[in-house]
Structures are given as C-alpha cells and as structure tokens.
Amino acid sequence: MARSANHSSVHSPLIIPENLSFRTRVFSFANAHPTPTVSSSLLSSSSEKTEETQEFFSMEGIVVNGEQSALQKHVAFFDRNKDGIVYPSETFKGFRAIGCGVILSTAASLFINMGFSSSTLPKGKKAFPRFPIYVENIHKAKHGSDSGVYDTQGRFVPSKFEDIFCKHAHSNKDSLTSQELNEMLKANRTPKDNAGRLASLAEWKILFFLCKDKNGIVVNGEQSALQKHVAFFDRNKDGFIYPSETFKGFRAIGCGLILSTVASLFINMGLSSRTVPKGKMAFPFFPIYAENIRKAKHGSDSGAYDTQGRFVPSKFEDIFRKHAHSNPDSLTSKELDEMLKANQTRNDYAGRLASWTEWKVLFFLCKDKNDLLHKDTVRAVYDGSLFEKMEKEKALKKKN
C-alpha cells in the first residue's frame, strides 16, 4: 500500500539492479497503473500472480466528481471483498496477490493497518483489535515527509509527481537509482516527523524492491496512455480491435445504433492501415493493432499524447488554462470550439475532422446538466478509465 510502476523479466535475486525504471512505474504506483517488475527472494515466482499484480497496478488514479480519489483507488486493491474496509488479512492477501513473500506480506499488513487504522475510523469506532482501514477516509491517514503527490484530499498532483524526477533523477530523467531515491527521501523530511519519515522510507523502499528493473531502462512491455485509451474497445483482449468490437464498445458506453455504427466504420477504416504490421493488409477486416496505435495519432490535436502515445500532463493542463474561461475546471461548447480552432494545423483536414469528431462525441456523451464538460471527465478519457465507468453505469441502470 505504498503511496506513490512497466514490466520486465523477473531477474535473479543475486542481481541487484541499480535503477527504478521509467517514471511511469512511480506514476502508476501513485495512481495504483501498469505492471511492475516482480523480483527478489521474497517474491513468489508463480505465474498465477500475474493477473493480480496487473490488477493492482491498473487501478485508475483519476479524480472524478463523486468518485474515488487517487489515494482511495490506490488502496482499493487491498479491499479484497470490496466492502470499503481493509482488514489486516486483506492487506496480507493483497501483498501476496502481487507476488510478495509471506514475511514481507505479514510485516506490511501489521505495519500498515496498525499505523493507519485509527486515522481513518469514523467517530465512535475503535481500531483495536481488528485495525480496519476505512477506504473512504484514507486521506486522513496521509502522513508527512512525503512527496506531496497526493494533496490533503487524496487527489493526485501532477506537478509534484514531476518534481520527483526533475529534482532527483540525475542519471536518467525517467528513472531513479537507489542513491537518488535516498536523496529524495532526505529532501522530503519534515523536522521531528519520525513517523512520517518511517512511513515514506518503508513505502518507497518496498516500491523500489518490487519494481526496479535490471538495467534501469524503459521496458517496451508497458502500455502507454494511448494504448490504454483504446484497450476498452478490444473486447476479447487479443490485441486487435475489429469494427465489430468498436461497435460493441460504443454500445457498451450508451451510444445508439447509428452513432456506434458510424463510429466503428470511421475509426477502423481511418486508423487500421497505420497500425497493421508490415506485410499485413487492412482490407477487408480493418483491424486496429493496439500495440501500434501511436502510429495512428493524428494532427490538429491537443498534444496531450506525445508521439509515443504517452500522456503529457502539461499539454492537458493547457486545454483548460487556455480555453476554460467561464470555469477553470470545465469547458462550454463555445470554449470547446475555440480550442479545436486553436489546435488546427494548416491543410490537415483529416486531423481536424478526427479531432472535431472525438471532442464533439465526448461533449455529447459527457456534458453535465449545465452543458459543461468537466476536466476530470476529460482526464479520464486519456487512459480509457472513463469508458469503464460509463459501461458500469449503463449496466447498473439496466439492472434497476
């Protein structure tokens, strides 16, 4: 349950890698995203752990009005029965599920639950003897001497995350060595905050122990934000998205037959040829290869995805800083049009059409009763978490 991860091969416990590879490992751990490298003698080598490990590192860290905060989602993995309360036995099972050994899992469950329980309890409740952690109140257990990546409400703060690497990643701008990690921990210390120092040390050292890679390099096995964005539409999770799957995805989030049909044809016919590997043909099935989706990135966009499909926080913030005039955290229809116009690249008619379609469909589906498109909603689009949320909401409505 450390606070603040890309997948490489499991290495021998006799090899002690020096770098924590790629800042997205840490971003993922803070937002509880991608798969970590699991290694060392305390880790189980069982392949059965893989799915559980991926689940933990795919918990979304998006702050949505009325939804869980990033910190709540960070700990939600350990709430094994999803009742909103995490007991030591659940913390233990969570650590075991991601590949930790019995000793580490036992120590972590005792340390975490005994340390955090009393801070999260509702009034009138007692921690002893079961030491439950109430997920809803986890922000109250936020300790000092930390990176500041979570604010006092448990929300993710991108600028503070970037500071970790801007200030301390000297040898590689996207990774931390053990020495650089120690430097950061020392810089974050608050005078006389022994409890906070210990908590931060434990969290970061466990993260480093679990997720460091062999050479401290970017591992290709990790999904980019853009790959995650399209992964929702890969309904059978085989890495290919056919028009029928795009159609089913749009239907799953509540779109009508006409819009879903048009979208599936427009998207697959437009993007397929750019993503198919050499020697493959798009016609007649028009598959989109999720692995190569970065190659289908169009122009006249916001720049919130870079050329590798990675999320660029500063470009995302620019959307609202430059165009959200009436409300800093939402866009009106007029402001959306202003942004689309500002992003237009000369003679890029295909890119303009793609951007216009994407944003207009998003606005149509997700605007609130006051015709405002909220920042948190837009942020959730970029890694696909919004689609999962919309599918669940639609399914819930159907049940009721």
Side-chain angles (χ1 to χ4, degrees):
M1 242 195 271
R3 297 264 168 84
S4 290
N6 209 0
H7 191 86
S8 64
S9 59
V10 176
H11 47 266
S12 164
L14 297 176
I15 300 172
I16 305 176
E18 293 297 322
N19 284 32
L20 176 64
S21 172
F22 200 39
R23 68 176 64 196
T24 48
R25 287 171 172 265
V26 183
F27 178 86
S28 303
F29 209 76
N31 288 290
H33 282 15
T35 48
T37 298
V38 183
S39 64
S40 153
S41 56
L42 286 181
L43 298 184
S44 167
S45 62
S46 169
S47 61
E48 292 177 7
K49 304 295 183 187
T50 304
E51 288 185 10
E52 291 278 11
T53 307
Q54 289 175 337
E55 180 190 345
F56 172 54
F57 287 91
S58 64
M59 303 294 285
E60 306 300 345
I62 310 303
V63 182
V64 183
N65 293 334
E67 244 190 68
Q68 287 183 316
S69 68
L71 183 54
Q72 287 171 329
K73 292 182 180 183
H74 174 84
V75 302
F77 171 82
F78 296 90
D79 181 13
R80 307 304 285 175
N81 62 358
K82 307 304 176 188
D83 64 353
I85 305 171
V86 183
Y87 291 98
S89 60
E90 293 179 286
T91 306
F92 174 85
K93 289 174 184 175
F95 273 88
R96 290 290 287 153
I98 61 174
C100 297
V102 173
I103 296 174
L104 177 56
S105 300
T106 302
S109 61
L110 294 174
F111 176 81
I112 291 168
N113 281 74
M114 292 176 74
F116 294 162
S117 178
S118 59
S119 302
T120 68
L121 293 174
K123 287 182 180 179
K125 298 280 187 179
K126 289 186 177 181
F128 186 81
R130 301 185 69 190
F131 298 104
I133 293 172
Y134 283 70
V135 177
E136 183 182 2
N137 299 327
I138 191 63
H139 63 282
K140 296 179 181 179
K142 183 178 179 293
H143 59 76
S145 299
D146 67 345
S147 62
V149 171
Y150 295 123
D151 68 11
T152 54
Q153 297 303 306
R155 295 170 298 203
F156 180 71
V157 184
S159 61
K160 292 292 186 181
F161 169 76
E162 292 298 325
D163 280 348
I164 294 173
F165 294 88
C166 288
K167 293 179 179 179
H168 306 292
H170 309 303
S171 53
N172 185 315
K173 64 184 178 70
D174 289 325
S175 63
L176 293 173
T177 64
S178 179
Q179 185 178 351
E180 291 164 351
L181 179 61
N182 290 334
E183 174 194 298
M184 181 201 70
L185 289 169
K186 187 176 181 180
N188 290 341
R189 289 176 184 172
T190 302
K192 299 181 180 180
D193 179 28
N194 296 323
R197 292 184 187 185
L198 178 60
S200 285
L201 177 70
E203 291 166 352
W204 280 96
K205 289 297 183 179
I206 288 174
L207 173 61
F208 192 88
F209 171 72
L210 290 174
C211 301
K212 61 190 175 183
D213 77 0
K214 189 172 182 179
N215 300 306
I217 59 172
V218 178
V219 183
N220 293 329
E222 186 179 336
Q223 282 188 316
S224 68
L226 184 53
Q227 287 172 326
K228 291 177 187 176
H229 172 83
V230 302
F232 172 81
F233 297 91
D234 181 10
R235 307 303 285 177
N236 62 359
K237 306 305 177 188
D238 64 352
F240 315 121
I241 304 169
Y242 292 94
S244 60
E245 292 180 287
T246 306
F247 174 85
K248 289 174 184 175
F250 273 88
R251 291 291 286 156
I253 61 176
C255 296
L257 283 169
I258 297 175
L259 177 56
S260 300
T261 302
V262 172
S264 63
L265 294 175
F266 176 79
I267 292 170
N268 282 72
M269 293 175 74
L271 305 184
S272 178
S273 61
R274 300 186 213 173
T275 68
V276 294
K278 286 181 181 179
K280 299 280 186 180
M281 293 181 67
F283 185 81
F285 299 111
F286 298 104
I288 293 172
Y289 283 66
E291 183 182 0
N292 299 327
I293 191 64
R294 69 188 188 283
K295 296 179 180 179
K297 184 177 178 291
H298 58 75
S300 299
D301 65 346
S302 64
Y305 293 125
D306 67 10
T307 54
Q308 296 303 307
R310 295 170 299 202
F311 180 69
V312 184
S314 60
K315 292 291 186 181
F316 171 74
E317 293 297 329
D318 280 348
I319 295 172
F320 294 87
R321 183 176 60 82
K322 293 179 178 180
H323 306 291
H325 308 301
S326 53
N327 187 311
D329 290 323
S330 61
L331 293 173
T332 64
S333 179
K334 186 178 179 181
E335 290 164 350
L336 180 61
D337 289 339
E338 175 193 296
M339 182 201 69
L340 288 170
K341 186 175 181 180
N343 290 340
Q344 288 178 0
T345 302
R346 192 174 179 180
N347 297 327
D348 178 29
Y349 300 111
R352 292 184 190 185
L353 177 60
S355 286
W356 185 89
T357 304
E358 291 165 354
W359 281 97
K360 288 297 183 179
V361 170
L362 175 62
F363 192 88
F364 171 74
L365 290 175
C366 299
K367 63 184 178 182
D368 68 9
K369 61 182 180 181
N370 297 314
D371 287 341
L372 294 174
L373 181 61
H374 290 275
K375 182 178 183 179
D376 296 328
T377 301
V378 178
R379 175 63 182 87
V381 171
Y382 280 100
D383 63 3
S385 60
L386 178 67
F387 305 138
E388 303 282 351
K389 175 177 174 279
M390 292 173 72
E391 182 177 31
K392 288 175 184 175
E393 287 177 349
K394 188 191 173 189
L396 194 61
K397 283 180 184 177
K398 222 173 185 180
K399 277 186 181 179
N400 298 333

PDB file of all heavy atoms in Angstrom, residues 77-99:
ATOM      1  N   PHE A  77      -7.387  -1.745  -4.108  1.00  0.00           N
ATOM      2  CA  PHE A  77      -6.975  -3.095  -4.483  1.00  0.00           C
ATOM      3  C   PHE A  77      -6.943  -4.024  -3.276  1.00  0.00           C
ATOM      4  O   PHE A  77      -7.246  -5.216  -3.367  1.00  0.00           O
ATOM      5  CB  PHE A  77      -5.598  -3.050  -5.152  1.00  0.00           C
ATOM      6  CG  PHE A  77      -4.985  -4.411  -5.389  1.00  0.00           C
ATOM      7  CD1 PHE A  77      -5.345  -5.165  -6.495  1.00  0.00           C
ATOM      8  CD2 PHE A  77      -4.069  -4.941  -4.487  1.00  0.00           C
ATOM      9  CE1 PHE A  77      -4.786  -6.423  -6.710  1.00  0.00           C
ATOM     10  CE2 PHE A  77      -3.505  -6.197  -4.697  1.00  0.00           C
ATOM     11  CZ  PHE A  77      -3.871  -6.930  -5.814  1.00  0.00           C
ATOM     12  N   PHE A  78      -6.557  -3.471  -2.138  1.00  0.00           N
ATOM     13  CA  PHE A  78      -6.416  -4.283  -0.933  1.00  0.00           C
ATOM     14  C   PHE A  78      -7.746  -4.556  -0.243  1.00  0.00           C
ATOM     15  O   PHE A  78      -7.814  -5.382   0.664  1.00  0.00           O
ATOM     16  CB  PHE A  78      -5.443  -3.598   0.026  1.00  0.00           C
ATOM     17  CG  PHE A  78      -4.050  -3.494  -0.530  1.00  0.00           C
ATOM     18  CD1 PHE A  78      -3.666  -2.390  -1.272  1.00  0.00           C
ATOM     19  CD2 PHE A  78      -3.138  -4.519  -0.356  1.00  0.00           C
ATOM     20  CE1 PHE A  78      -2.395  -2.299  -1.808  1.00  0.00           C
ATOM     21  CE2 PHE A  78      -1.863  -4.452  -0.895  1.00  0.00           C
ATOM     22  CZ  PHE A  78      -1.487  -3.335  -1.625  1.00  0.00           C
ATOM     23  N   ASP A  79      -8.787  -3.852  -0.672  1.00  0.00           N
ATOM     24  CA  ASP A  79     -10.130  -4.138  -0.153  1.00  0.00           C
ATOM     25  C   ASP A  79     -10.662  -5.329  -0.925  1.00  0.00           C
ATOM     26  O   ASP A  79     -11.436  -5.199  -1.874  1.00  0.00           O
ATOM     27  CB  ASP A  79     -11.022  -2.907  -0.333  1.00  0.00           C
ATOM     28  CG  ASP A  79     -12.426  -3.119   0.194  1.00  0.00           C
ATOM     29  OD1 ASP A  79     -12.654  -4.113   0.915  1.00  0.00           O
ATOM     30  OD2 ASP A  79     -13.305  -2.284  -0.114  1.00  0.00           O
ATOM     31  N   ARG A  80     -10.258  -6.520  -0.516  1.00  0.00           N
ATOM     32  CA  ARG A  80     -10.480  -7.708  -1.326  1.00  0.00           C
ATOM     33  C   ARG A  80     -11.951  -8.048  -1.528  1.00  0.00           C
ATOM     34  O   ARG A  80     -12.340  -8.596  -2.550  1.00  0.00           O
ATOM     35  CB  ARG A  80      -9.758  -8.917  -0.720  1.00  0.00           C
ATOM     36  CG  ARG A  80      -8.269  -8.696  -0.452  1.00  0.00           C
ATOM     37  CD  ARG A  80      -7.505  -8.279  -1.681  1.00  0.00           C
ATOM     38  NE  ARG A  80      -7.276  -9.390  -2.586  1.00  0.00           N
ATOM     39  CZ  ARG A  80      -6.716  -9.282  -3.779  1.00  0.00           C
ATOM     40  NH1 ARG A  80      -6.358  -8.101  -4.237  1.00  0.00           N
ATOM     41  NH2 ARG A  80      -6.533 -10.341  -4.539  1.00  0.00           N
ATOM     42  N   ASN A  81     -12.786  -7.750  -0.536  1.00  0.00           N
ATOM     43  CA  ASN A  81     -14.213  -8.070  -0.699  1.00  0.00           C
ATOM     44  C   ASN A  81     -15.040  -6.849  -1.091  1.00  0.00           C
ATOM     45  O   ASN A  81     -16.263  -6.900  -1.121  1.00  0.00           O
ATOM     46  CB  ASN A  81     -14.777  -8.714   0.575  1.00  0.00           C
ATOM     47  CG  ASN A  81     -14.698  -7.771   1.776  1.00  0.00           C
ATOM     48  OD1 ASN A  81     -14.185  -6.649   1.662  1.00  0.00           O
ATOM     49  ND2 ASN A  81     -15.168  -8.234   2.918  1.00  0.00           N
ATOM     50  N   LYS A  82     -14.357  -5.726  -1.357  1.00  0.00           N
ATOM     51  CA  LYS A  82     -14.987  -4.503  -1.865  1.00  0.00           C
ATOM     52  C   LYS A  82     -16.115  -3.985  -0.962  1.00  0.00           C
ATOM     53  O   LYS A  82     -17.148  -3.529  -1.449  1.00  0.00           O
ATOM     54  CB  LYS A  82     -15.523  -4.719  -3.294  1.00  0.00           C
ATOM     55  CG  LYS A  82     -14.491  -5.268  -4.266  1.00  0.00           C
ATOM     56  CD  LYS A  82     -13.253  -4.391  -4.346  1.00  0.00           C
ATOM     57  CE  LYS A  82     -12.183  -4.989  -5.246  1.00  0.00           C
ATOM     58  NZ  LYS A  82     -10.902  -4.247  -5.177  1.00  0.00           N
ATOM     59  N   ASP A  83     -15.895  -4.046   0.361  1.00  0.00           N
ATOM     60  CA  ASP A  83     -16.901  -3.525   1.287  1.00  0.00           C
ATOM     61  C   ASP A  83     -16.520  -2.160   1.836  1.00  0.00           C
ATOM     62  O   ASP A  83     -17.186  -1.614   2.715  1.00  0.00           O
ATOM     63  CB  ASP A  83     -17.144  -4.504   2.440  1.00  0.00           C
ATOM     64  CG  ASP A  83     -15.908  -4.706   3.312  1.00  0.00           C
ATOM     65  OD1 ASP A  83     -14.820  -4.194   2.940  1.00  0.00           O
ATOM     66  OD2 ASP A  83     -16.021  -5.377   4.364  1.00  0.00           O
ATOM     67  N   GLY A  84     -15.408  -1.601   1.350  1.00  0.00           N
ATOM     68  CA  GLY A  84     -14.985  -0.272   1.782  1.00  0.00           C
ATOM     69  C   GLY A  84     -14.087  -0.285   3.005  1.00  0.00           C
ATOM     70  O   GLY A  84     -13.645   0.767   3.470  1.00  0.00           O
ATOM     71  N   ILE A  85     -13.799  -1.471   3.534  1.00  0.00           N
ATOM     72  CA  ILE A  85     -12.965  -1.602   4.729  1.00  0.00           C
ATOM     73  C   ILE A  85     -11.845  -2.600   4.448  1.00  0.00           C
ATOM     74  O   ILE A  85     -12.089  -3.682   3.919  1.00  0.00           O
ATOM     75  CB  ILE A  85     -13.795  -2.084   5.935  1.00  0.00           C
ATOM     76  CG1 ILE A  85     -14.998  -1.162   6.169  1.00  0.00           C
ATOM     77  CG2 ILE A  85     -12.938  -2.140   7.195  1.00  0.00           C
ATOM     78  CD1 ILE A  85     -15.983  -1.692   7.198  1.00  0.00           C
ATOM     79  N   VAL A  86     -10.614  -2.216   4.798  1.00  0.00           N
ATOM     80  CA  VAL A  86      -9.455  -3.084   4.568  1.00  0.00           C
ATOM     81  C   VAL A  86      -8.940  -3.582   5.918  1.00  0.00           C
ATOM     82  O   VAL A  86      -8.448  -2.800   6.733  1.00  0.00           O
ATOM     83  CB  VAL A  86      -8.321  -2.340   3.832  1.00  0.00           C
ATOM     84  CG1 VAL A  86      -7.169  -3.293   3.537  1.00  0.00           C
ATOM     85  CG2 VAL A  86      -8.840  -1.694   2.542  1.00  0.00           C
ATOM     86  N   TYR A  87      -9.069  -4.883   6.151  1.00  0.00           N
ATOM     87  CA  TYR A  87      -8.560  -5.502   7.378  1.00  0.00           C
ATOM     88  C   TYR A  87      -7.145  -6.029   7.136  1.00  0.00           C
ATOM     89  O   TYR A  87      -6.739  -6.223   5.976  1.00  0.00           O
ATOM     90  CB  TYR A  87      -9.489  -6.634   7.821  1.00  0.00           C
ATOM     91  CG  TYR A  87     -10.834  -6.145   8.310  1.00  0.00           C
ATOM     92  CD1 TYR A  87     -11.946  -6.142   7.457  1.00  0.00           C
ATOM     93  CD2 TYR A  87     -10.998  -5.675   9.605  1.00  0.00           C
ATOM     94  CE1 TYR A  87     -13.183  -5.677   7.896  1.00  0.00           C
ATOM     95  CE2 TYR A  87     -12.232  -5.208  10.061  1.00  0.00           C
ATOM     96  CZ  TYR A  87     -13.321  -5.219   9.201  1.00  0.00           C
ATOM     97  OH  TYR A  87     -14.532  -4.754   9.633  1.00  0.00           O
ATOM     98  N   PRO A  88      -6.375  -6.283   8.205  1.00  0.00           N
ATOM     99  CA  PRO A  88      -5.013  -6.800   8.030  1.00  0.00           C
ATOM    100  C   PRO A  88      -4.949  -8.053   7.158  1.00  0.00           C
ATOM    101  O   PRO A  88      -4.016  -8.207   6.367  1.00  0.00           O
ATOM    102  CB  PRO A  88      -4.581  -7.108   9.472  1.00  0.00           C
ATOM    103  CG  PRO A  88      -5.352  -6.133  10.309  1.00  0.00           C
ATOM    104  CD  PRO A  88      -6.682  -6.014   9.632  1.00  0.00           C
ATOM    105  N   SER A  89      -5.941  -8.916   7.289  1.00  0.00           N
ATOM    106  CA  SER A  89      -5.954 -10.133   6.471  1.00  0.00           C
ATOM    107  C   SER A  89      -6.067  -9.804   4.988  1.00  0.00           C
ATOM    108  O   SER A  89      -5.496 -10.492   4.130  1.00  0.00           O
ATOM    109  CB  SER A  89      -7.115 -11.046   6.883  1.00  0.00           C
ATOM    110  OG  SER A  89      -8.367 -10.386   6.705  1.00  0.00           O
ATOM    111  N   GLU A  90      -6.788  -8.726   4.664  1.00  0.00           N
ATOM    112  CA  GLU A  90      -6.940  -8.311   3.268  1.00  0.00           C
ATOM    113  C   GLU A  90      -5.659  -7.665   2.748  1.00  0.00           C
ATOM    114  O   GLU A  90      -5.273  -7.855   1.589  1.00  0.00           O
ATOM    115  CB  GLU A  90      -8.116  -7.354   3.125  1.00  0.00           C
ATOM    116  CG  GLU A  90      -9.472  -8.000   3.404  1.00  0.00           C
ATOM    117  CD  GLU A  90     -10.608  -7.010   3.262  1.00  0.00           C
ATOM    118  OE1 GLU A  90     -10.761  -6.167   4.160  1.00  0.00           O
ATOM    119  OE2 GLU A  90     -11.357  -7.089   2.263  1.00  0.00           O
ATOM    120  N   THR A  91      -5.027  -6.869   3.605  1.00  0.00           N
ATOM    121  CA  THR A  91      -3.743  -6.274   3.225  1.00  0.00           C
ATOM    122  C   THR A  91      -2.729  -7.375   2.940  1.00  0.00           C
ATOM    123  O   THR A  91      -1.991  -7.328   1.953  1.00  0.00           O
ATOM    124  CB  THR A  91      -3.218  -5.357   4.347  1.00  0.00           C
ATOM    125  OG1 THR A  91      -4.212  -4.394   4.684  1.00  0.00           O
ATOM    126  CG2 THR A  91      -1.951  -4.632   3.912  1.00  0.00           C
ATOM    127  N   PHE A  92      -2.709  -8.388   3.802  1.00  0.00           N
ATOM    128  CA  PHE A  92      -1.825  -9.540   3.621  1.00  0.00           C
ATOM    129  C   PHE A  92      -2.111 -10.227   2.285  1.00  0.00           C
ATOM    130  O   PHE A  92      -1.196 -10.508   1.500  1.00  0.00           O
ATOM    131  CB  PHE A  92      -2.021 -10.528   4.778  1.00  0.00           C
ATOM    132  CG  PHE A  92      -1.259 -11.816   4.620  1.00  0.00           C
ATOM    133  CD1 PHE A  92       0.065 -11.903   5.028  1.00  0.00           C
ATOM    134  CD2 PHE A  92      -1.863 -12.939   4.055  1.00  0.00           C
ATOM    135  CE1 PHE A  92       0.781 -13.099   4.873  1.00  0.00           C
ATOM    136  CE2 PHE A  92      -1.159 -14.125   3.896  1.00  0.00           C
ATOM    137  CZ  PHE A  92       0.168 -14.205   4.309  1.00  0.00           C
ATOM    138  N   LYS A  93      -3.388 -10.498   2.016  1.00  0.00           N
ATOM    139  CA  LYS A  93      -3.769 -11.169   0.765  1.00  0.00           C
ATOM    140  C   LYS A  93      -3.400 -10.321  -0.455  1.00  0.00           C
ATOM    141  O   LYS A  93      -3.009 -10.853  -1.499  1.00  0.00           O
ATOM    142  CB  LYS A  93      -5.268 -11.464   0.763  1.00  0.00           C
ATOM    143  CG  LYS A  93      -5.679 -12.566   1.732  1.00  0.00           C
ATOM    144  CD  LYS A  93      -7.198 -12.706   1.781  1.00  0.00           C
ATOM    145  CE  LYS A  93      -7.628 -13.740   2.816  1.00  0.00           C
ATOM    146  NZ  LYS A  93      -9.107 -13.803   2.951  1.00  0.00           N
ATOM    147  N   GLY A  94      -3.545  -9.003  -0.324  1.00  0.00           N
ATOM    148  CA  GLY A  94      -3.191  -8.117  -1.424  1.00  0.00           C
ATOM    149  C   GLY A  94      -1.712  -8.184  -1.754  1.00  0.00           C
ATOM    150  O   GLY A  94      -1.325  -8.290  -2.927  1.00  0.00           O
ATOM    151  N   PHE A  95      -0.878  -8.132  -0.720  1.00  0.00           N
ATOM    152  CA  PHE A  95       0.573  -8.226  -0.947  1.00  0.00           C
ATOM    153  C   PHE A  95       0.965  -9.595  -1.495  1.00  0.00           C
ATOM    154  O   PHE A  95       1.838  -9.700  -2.362  1.00  0.00           O
ATOM    155  CB  PHE A  95       1.327  -7.931   0.357  1.00  0.00           C
ATOM    156  CG  PHE A  95       1.596  -6.462   0.558  1.00  0.00           C
ATOM    157  CD1 PHE A  95       0.672  -5.650   1.197  1.00  0.00           C
ATOM    158  CD2 PHE A  95       2.766  -5.881   0.084  1.00  0.00           C
ATOM    159  CE1 PHE A  95       0.913  -4.291   1.364  1.00  0.00           C
ATOM    160  CE2 PHE A  95       3.019  -4.527   0.248  1.00  0.00           C
ATOM    161  CZ  PHE A  95       2.084  -3.718   0.891  1.00  0.00           C
ATOM    162  N   ARG A  96       0.327 -10.637  -1.020  1.00  0.00           N
ATOM    163  CA  ARG A  96       0.596 -11.970  -1.549  1.00  0.00           C
ATOM    164  C   ARG A  96       0.168 -12.060  -3.019  1.00  0.00           C
ATOM    165  O   ARG A  96       0.838 -12.679  -3.841  1.00  0.00           O
ATOM    166  CB  ARG A  96      -0.140 -13.033  -0.724  1.00  0.00           C
ATOM    167  CG  ARG A  96       0.422 -13.229   0.665  1.00  0.00           C
ATOM    168  CD  ARG A  96       1.792 -13.884   0.648  1.00  0.00           C
ATOM    169  NE  ARG A  96       1.687 -15.298   0.309  1.00  0.00           N
ATOM    170  CZ  ARG A  96       2.659 -16.001  -0.275  1.00  0.00           C
ATOM    171  NH1 ARG A  96       3.791 -15.404  -0.612  1.00  0.00           N
ATOM    172  NH2 ARG A  96       2.493 -17.287  -0.535  1.00  0.00           N
ATOM    173  N   ALA A  97      -0.958 -11.415  -3.325  1.00  0.00           N
ATOM    174  CA  ALA A  97      -1.503 -11.471  -4.685  1.00  0.00           C
ATOM    175  C   ALA A  97      -0.575 -10.830  -5.707  1.00  0.00           C
ATOM    176  O   ALA A  97      -0.546 -11.234  -6.870  1.00  0.00           O
ATOM    177  CB  ALA A  97      -2.874 -10.803  -4.737  1.00  0.00           C
ATOM    178  N   ILE A  98       0.192  -9.809  -5.302  1.00  0.00           N
ATOM    179  CA  ILE A  98       1.099  -9.161  -6.251  1.00  0.00           C
ATOM    180  C   ILE A  98       2.493  -9.781  -6.223  1.00  0.00           C
ATOM    181  O   ILE A  98       3.416  -9.274  -6.846  1.00  0.00           O
ATOM    182  CB  ILE A  98       1.179  -7.634  -6.034  1.00  0.00           C
ATOM    183  CG1 ILE A  98       1.716  -7.288  -4.641  1.00  0.00           C
ATOM    184  CG2 ILE A  98      -0.164  -6.985  -6.266  1.00  0.00           C
ATOM    185  CD1 ILE A  98       1.939  -5.791  -4.431  1.00  0.00           C
ATOM    186  N   GLY A  99       2.620 -10.896  -5.475  1.00  0.00           N
ATOM    187  CA  GLY A  99       3.865 -11.654  -5.546  1.00  0.00           C
ATOM    188  C   GLY A  99       4.796 -11.530  -4.371  1.00  0.00           C
ATOM    189  O   GLY A  99       5.921 -12.028  -4.420  1.00  0.00           O
TER     190      GLY A  99
END
